[in-house]
Amino acid sequence: MQITKKITLLFAILSAVIISLLSGFVWYFANEFAFEDFYKRLEARVNISAQIKLYEDVNNMAYAKMRNQYLERLPSEKAFIFEASAPKSNHLDRELPQSFYNRIKSGFMSRYRVDNHFYAGKSFKINNKDYLVIISANDPVGFRELKDLQRILIIGFFLSVFLSFIVGWRFSNYMLIPLRKVIKSVKKIKAENLHMRLDVKQGSDEMSQLAETFNNMLNRLQTAFETQNNFISNASHELRTPLTIISGEVELALKGTRDEIKTAAALYKIKDEAERLEHILTSLLGLAQSGFNGKNQPWEDVRVDELLWEIRASVTQVHPESKIEIDLNQLPDDERGLTVRANRNLLKLAISNIVSNACKYSNDKLVNIAIESTNHLLSVAITDQGIGIPQTDIQHIFEPFYRASNTNDYKGYGVGLPLSLNIIRLHRGSIAIKSQEGIGTEIKVILPV
């Protein structure tokens, strides 16, 4: 069953329950108080009848005249006056329950109703004798009003349930419009257009969170697909070069030449290319593993400022002559602004690659690392004074094995920055770059706090 139908059905059922409870309350109180006025009219006639029939008063004739003249006679009105000790069945038109008489004996006005026929009675003591005065009459108006109310409640119940079904249907359709848009957009995304993203509306409602979650998932999928494609295409290309050189050198060595110098040179060349091959394989493996799903390695709260000091120490070991300065002038007042949820080892590897490149391509000039936290975003800016990147190469530097045109004098394989980008993407972050050839480069890593 579709969610729209489920919501509509649930809405209709809840409305039916609420309306039935409300109708029940209305019917109960209407039934209790609908005849209250009629009973009071009967009780007034009980007192008047007792005054006229039982008490000796010179004004009784005037009371009787006023009663007949000004007090309307009720439908089927009858008055029963008899001694309390007399058999009741001889005086009344029907047998009344004993509880009716017990209440009279207690000194209260008693009431009783059979369908639309009402009784009211009371006991009066005259000359040491107890008399019962009972008045009966019909109330067609009140009974008819109660029947009309019952009919209205039943019709109103079914009409309200029907309207609630219609309103629930339109309401559920309206509320699910954003979800349908998300489904429609997701259906358009395929392997060949993983760069597409859902529109995330401003706000913190569930639809915005759902769209943002889909976008994060698409980021991870795109990273995994690109990693896999790059691994296959670049591995075949990059592995072929050292293997070709090794094969050629081995063939020369196997020709049986007696020149020890050439043989030694060939062996050294084979050794260098084998090391290069090992490095390429290690880099490719790291590049492939950076597309993991987040469950293979632990995630924890990481203080980025503390991590930067560790990165500085590790890079200094590789580049002893490097000069790395950490700028802490923009630290936030709240230390929580420096904490990110991350895989510590991967994040350290990503930033270390960038800092190591800055040291290598700046010929050991000063490298500045600045940290800043604003608006739930933490940024780490690595600035060097190196050779810079030509403008035509900037758009390609995050492609695996791509090297800028001015880096021929520096040893490298073009996998450090792509690996860093994959890792930062996995942490829902981004990398921004600004460079000018001959002046230097600034790479900024932006992470959500």
Side-chain angles (χ1 to χ4, degrees), residues 50-64:
Q51 177 67 38
I52 296 174
K53 301 292 184 180
L54 297 179
Y55 292 95
E56 295 181 359
D57 193 326
V58 295
N59 296 321
N60 280 350
M61 294 297 294
Y63 290 153

Side-chain angles (χ1 to χ4, degrees), residues 389 391-404 414 418:
I389 304 172
Q391 293 301 311
T392 56
D393 294 334
I394 288 181
Q395 58 182 334
H396 301 291
I397 62 170
F398 290 110
E399 297 176 6
F401 301 103
Y402 183 88
R403 303 195 69 205

Side-chain angles (χ1 to χ4, degrees), residues 249 252-253 257-268 270:
E249 295 296 330
L252 288 175
T257 178
R258 301 278 181 182
D259 192 339
E260 294 183 358
I261 297 177
K262 291 183 177 181
T263 302
L267 292 176
Y268 278 116
I270 291 172

Side-chain angles (χ1 to χ4, degrees), residues 187-196 225 229:
K187 286 182 177 179
K188 294 179 180 178
I189 300 175
K190 297 180 175 57
E192 57 270 15
N193 60 355
L194 277 176
H195 62 278
M196 294 181 61
F225 269 74
N229 291 334

Side-chain angles (χ1 to χ4, degrees), residues 220 223-224 227 286-294 296 419 422-423 426:
R220 294 193 295 270
T223 301
T227 300
L287 192 62
Q289 288 180 339
S290 68
F292 76 114
N293 59 9
N296 298 332
L419 179 58
N422 283 358
I423 293 173
L426 291 172

Side-chain angles (χ1 to χ4, degrees), residues 34 40 53 103 174 212 230 244 286 289-290 300 314 372 379 391 400 402-403 423 434 437:
K40 288 182 178 180
K53 301 292 184 180
R103 183 169 177 78
Y174 173 76
E212 187 175 357
N230 290 331
T244 301
Q289 288 180 339
S290 68
E300 58 185 305
S314 62
E372 184 179 359
S379 64
Q391 293 301 311
Y402 183 88
R403 303 195 69 205
I423 293 173
K434 181 173 63 176
E437 190 174 5

